[in-house]
Amino acid sequence: MNLDEEVKRLIKNHVDKLKFHNGKKFIEINKFSPQQQREKDLQEIPKKLMRVKSVYLKIEERIKELKTLIPDITEQTTLCAVYLIYGKVLQTWRAIFLLTERGYNFEIMELNRSIVENLGLVHTFYLDKDLVHLSKWFQGEIITNGIARNLVDEYIAKNSVNTHGLSPYDMANYVYRGFSKYTHCSYAALLESVDLFNEDFDWNGYSGAHYSLKHIDALESTMTSTLITLKHTYLELKDMESYVVINKILLDFAGPMDDQSLQELIAKT
């Protein structure tokens, strides 16, 4: 099933639940259950989120240490650009952690896409050896995520990288389009902000807590992408000691990047 078909299926399932009034019927005999479930979800979130936060703590100081290689924060170099982008990525992760623990699902997913775009920009600047896009970026132009997807795809094709039969462009496009549903306030994404019990917007945060817990898998996928991008940085810097350290963190966190693992990674997003 492709993404468009999956979105249509999810919309139908969600709308059917509302039309059949299952949630409203449930709270007629279980008045306090939605609030109790929300509290249970919010208690479970920090436990499940800790795995992602622990990786963040391992890479935060390493990223900050890149500043020692940059004598002037205004220099227009690839490393300076990448360092500033990583600063934005770290701050976004902090915001995601706060929002996840409070059950703000929709906003979390919007920020998740932001990280994906930021990481794509890092890859763009490394793969753009002529510095065409970097120069434009320093002049204030926006470098779209589509450019990153194309450059990665071209690099893999040129270097005959084994992708286990998967298309890196299609994978990246699938993830990006999924997160874009939230950024552009699509109906499919907005239905996650509907309270099935009261058949209203999710003013009480019941759905927000539920989906915040459910979507921690998506955060794990984005943290995996963060680690892969950081590996790319150390490879470009020829810092193999740091490369090995980050690779170990990646393998401990996400496991081997074989065909089955990649397929599972896509399924989580």
Side-chain angles (χ1 to χ4, degrees):
M1 183 180 295
N2 62 36
L3 180 61
D4 294 331
E5 291 173 343
E6 177 66 10
V7 167
K8 290 176 182 178
R9 184 188 68 81
L10 290 172
I11 289 174
K12 184 179 185 306
N13 286 349
H14 213 112
V15 170
D16 283 348
K17 289 178 182 178
L18 289 165
K19 285 185 178 296
F20 292 131
H21 311 293
N22 293 337
K24 182 168 283 190
K25 293 174 184 175
F26 178 79
I27 62 170
E28 288 177 356
I29 56 176
N30 300 278
K31 182 178 180 181
F32 300 106
S33 183
Q35 181 58 33
Q36 291 170 347
Q37 184 59 51
R38 178 177 183 273
E39 292 172 359
K40 182 179 179 181
D41 289 339
L42 291 178
Q43 290 173 359
E44 190 64 25
I45 283 171
K47 300 174 187 175
K48 192 173 180 183
L49 189 62
M50 182 54 65
R51 189 164 173 267
V52 181
K53 292 179 76 172
S54 66
V55 173
Y56 173 90
L57 293 173
K58 291 177 182 177
I59 65 175
E60 181 183 24
E61 286 306 314
R62 285 188 166 272
I63 288 175
K64 290 180 178 179
E65 287 171 359
L66 293 173
K67 177 61 175 63
T68 61
L69 304 175
I70 305 168
D72 181 356
I73 198 63
T74 66
E75 65 184 32
Q76 297 192 356
T77 62
T78 299
L79 181 58
C80 189
V82 166
Y83 173 74
L84 290 172
I85 294 167
Y86 276 137
K88 162 66 166 53
V89 168
L90 289 178
Q91 292 283 56
T92 303
W93 270 119
R94 290 178 186 174
I96 284 175
F97 295 148
L98 289 172
L99 291 171
T100 303
E101 290 172 350
R102 288 161 176 75
Y104 288 93
N105 168 67
F106 204 100
E107 293 73 20
I108 295 161
M109 299 304 282
E110 289 184 279
L111 290 176
N112 209 344
R113 170 179 138 150
S114 174
I115 292 180
V116 171
E117 288 189 319
N118 298 159
L119 298 176
L121 198 54
V122 171
H123 289 299
T124 295
F125 292 156
Y126 282 133
L127 296 176
D128 177 29
K129 298 303 182 182
D130 295 328
L131 308 182
V132 173
H133 299 299
L134 181 70
S135 177
K136 291 180 179 179
W137 187 78
F138 274 120
Q139 294 302 313
E141 292 190 29
I142 294 173
I143 310 303
T144 66
N145 192 258
I147 291 173
R149 296 197 297 273
N150 284 323
L151 285 173
V152 170
D153 206 50
E154 290 171 6
Y155 172 83
I156 288 174
K158 180 179 178 181
N159 292 276
S160 302
V161 177
N162 183 8
T163 61
H164 305 283
L166 300 172
S167 166
Y169 182 91
D170 289 344
M171 289 166 57
N173 192 48
Y174 182 94
V175 172
Y176 183 78
R177 287 183 61 207
F179 288 140
S180 294
K181 301 294 183 186
Y182 297 89
T183 303
H184 298 296
C185 207
S186 74
Y187 185 52
L190 197 55
L191 278 172
E192 292 182 0
S193 295
V194 172
D195 177 353
L196 292 175
F197 300 105
N198 294 296
E199 297 180 2
D200 192 0
F201 188 81
D202 187 34
W203 302 114
N204 296 306
Y206 300 151
S207 294
H210 168 76
Y211 282 106
S212 292
L213 178 59
K214 179 180 178 181
H215 287 156
I216 289 177
D217 283 348
L219 299 185
E220 291 178 348
S221 296
T222 302
M223 182 55 79
T224 297
S225 297
T226 303
L227 291 168
I228 290 171
T229 306
L230 193 53
K231 276 179 59 179
H232 193 170
T233 294
Y234 287 123
L235 188 63
E236 292 288 335
L237 292 173
K238 296 181 173 55
D239 182 351
M240 299 314 296
E241 181 180 347
S242 295
Y243 178 92
V244 169
V245 170
I246 297 301
N247 190 56
K248 184 179 186 307
I249 295 173
L250 173 62
L251 291 174
D252 289 343
F253 180 72
M257 292 292 102
D258 55 18
D259 185 44
Q260 181 179 349
S261 300
L262 289 170
Q263 293 284 10
E264 291 173 354
L265 190 63
I266 294 173
K268 291 180 179 179
T269 58

